[in-house]
Amino acid sequence: MAVVDSYLRRNICREEGMEPLFQVPDLHERTQLWESISGYPIPVFIGDLVQWDFVSEVFRKFTPDTIIHYAEQPAAPYSMLNRRAATLTLHNNLMVTANVIFAVQEFCPDAHIVKIGTMGEYGTPNIDIEEGWIEIDHKGRKDKFIFPRQAGSLYHTTKIMDTDLLWFYVRVWGIRVTDLMQGPVYGLITDENEKNDQLFPFFNYDELFGTVINRFIVQAIAGYPLTVYGKGGQTRGYLDIRDTLQCVRLSVENPAEPGELRIFNQFVETFSVNDLAERVRKVADRLGLKVTIQSVENPRKEAEDHYYNPVHTGLLDLGLQPHYLTDDVLAQMIETVLLHKDKINKDIIFKGVKWK
Amino acid sequence: MAVVDSYLRRNICREEGMEPLFQVPDLHERTQLWESISGYPIPVFIGDLVQWDFVSEVFRKFTPDTIIHYAEQPAAPYSMLNRRAATLTLHNNLMVTANVIFAVQEFCPDAHIVKIGTMGEYGTPNIDIEEGWIEIDHKGRKDKFIFPRQAGSLYHTTKIMDTDLLWFYVRVWGIRVTDLMQGPVYGLITDENEKNDQLFPFFNYDELFGTVINRFIVQAIAGYPLTVYGKGGQTRGYLDIRDTLQCVRLSVENPAEPGELRIFNQFVETFSVNDLAERVRKVADRLGLKVTIQSVENPRKEAEDHYYNPVHTGLLDLGLQPHYLTDDVLAQMIETVLLHKDKINKDIIFKGVKWK
């Protein structure tokens, strides 16, 4: 196993003044720590996968059987911040995906690409969201297509484009791809890091890089009202960080076939924003925090009240043992974040980045 | 009116040694010639629309009501040539489209973008191809989506991505877009250039940049067998260059509404490759040329025998007066190319660029 990073996410968080709640050691430090705990060394390559000379150097030194491709600018609000951020997102995400495909074809054509996509590719259609594919019966004839996609941010749109690109090269070159349509992930603690907070993931709670559960927890602790955008009926599929790891592991252990684009809808439960605000309030109250909920004008352009019924059986069939967002899980997250209460910067909680 | 070009197509043709049949004057020369004929001056901006500093300079100096966006690497086989050509195609096409959208938003948010897409975005599905949109009835619920797309080359895939990007910003920013799903264009002569061959378009007949009708005509004249790929049942929608101009003019004169992505299927007639080979042979025979047809192993990955029934009523409803590919039209093309017979380079007719 090896790891490749350009520190893009760290750099853009710093540029925007939106640092995560606690500092995360760099990859050299984290892999050394991991080796001291587990005995497994992980070579680290630091560089930009947009640059082919770096990509080819990495693939020559470490030719993989599987590529787990997370190398993207992952924040929807950042992608809507301004022209420079939009261009960076589009350029980085597309060119890295292309380079990964070209590297597989050149250096390891049988390797399996496991790509992190997003449930956001589908948007919020008025029909059930199938698992990647749909058979369409039209004027008496039938064909099977990638499920129609219509995303809510530029970031999510780049993920649609990634899928388009992967699907094209799956068909012409016969590469193997699993595209994981992942929902928002919550949680900090896994079996591997529970004894060592130096191995915790980034915990962003700002408007650009923080996801809704993280943000509500920090708001609850900081005495800031939980900011529900608009009506709060926005419903998405969520999963625990431990389930993310399971899903990726299951995908790697059960690879797609050559010439197959396998799509899984990677989430465990759906919640509306109002559901989440209520749950955080309830559990925070139990822990003695005073929490209010406040609807704010929605800075995004999105349906605030919509049908949402996505299928998600593929990963369960592979053996996923789901964790659920129980009150205890929320309480553990709140207690973990409480340890860092003094580091919360209230100025970055809400910035009002508008979609338009 | 103003024109912007980076000479990308000229440069890559030269780099690959695939020059068009006759040289085309540069844009300064062509616009001067046009002014001397028509009295209309057309300012020329030469530069790369991938670069924002150039884009913003152009939009500051000339703020348009309408942008006709053709600024893409347009050749499917070139996009499949090698990694460098693929990267250039992906990078150029996506970043230019993004910059055009960002420039409209910044400098002229009410301007109408008329974008050249391609019928190739749809691929060859087993159901009727609707005009951009399809209503899907699924498990008792309904929604309307962009018609599913599945292209046959990287170039065509970048056009799918363009549509994804335009559709996203149409929804969030309310820009106006017409996306023209164009089929292969044939012909050289229009009302505007018929008296002056210095105003003819590029005529490529090589495997990378030439389209099938051009290629068959040159092959017929050069005494080269008409190269049908595989079974020759590949069917596409074609149109005369005069109809291309009509379609663009009609789209400009009848703009899309703010917040509308209007899609037209821009072609007049469908033909299979076998149909076209037979027609060129028949007309060339009449002109005294000896023509043979030869099936060659298909270098592409594509269906050679498939259902194909695309709707194309939108532009007819706007007033398109179609020209058809009659024997006389083919004869005129052959006679025009015969004037340049001595310039045909037989070495570039067939190169065997493989999709895999």
Side-chain angles (χ1 to χ4, degrees), chain A residues 86-103:
Chain A
T87 300
L88 182 153
T89 302
L90 184 64
H91 183 254
N92 179 80
N93 294 7
L94 263 292
M95 301 319 288
V96 171
T97 299
N99 277 344
V100 166
I101 294 167
F102 300 151

Side-chain angles (χ1 to χ4, degrees), chain B residues 334-353:
Chain B
I334 294 171
E335 284 162 351
T336 305
V337 175
L338 271 170
L339 300 174
H340 301 277
K341 182 180 175 177
D342 57 319
K343 301 195 194 84
I344 295 173
N345 175 0
K346 284 171 87 164
D347 291 344
I348 67 173
I349 289 178
F350 192 75
K351 305 292 277 189
V353 174

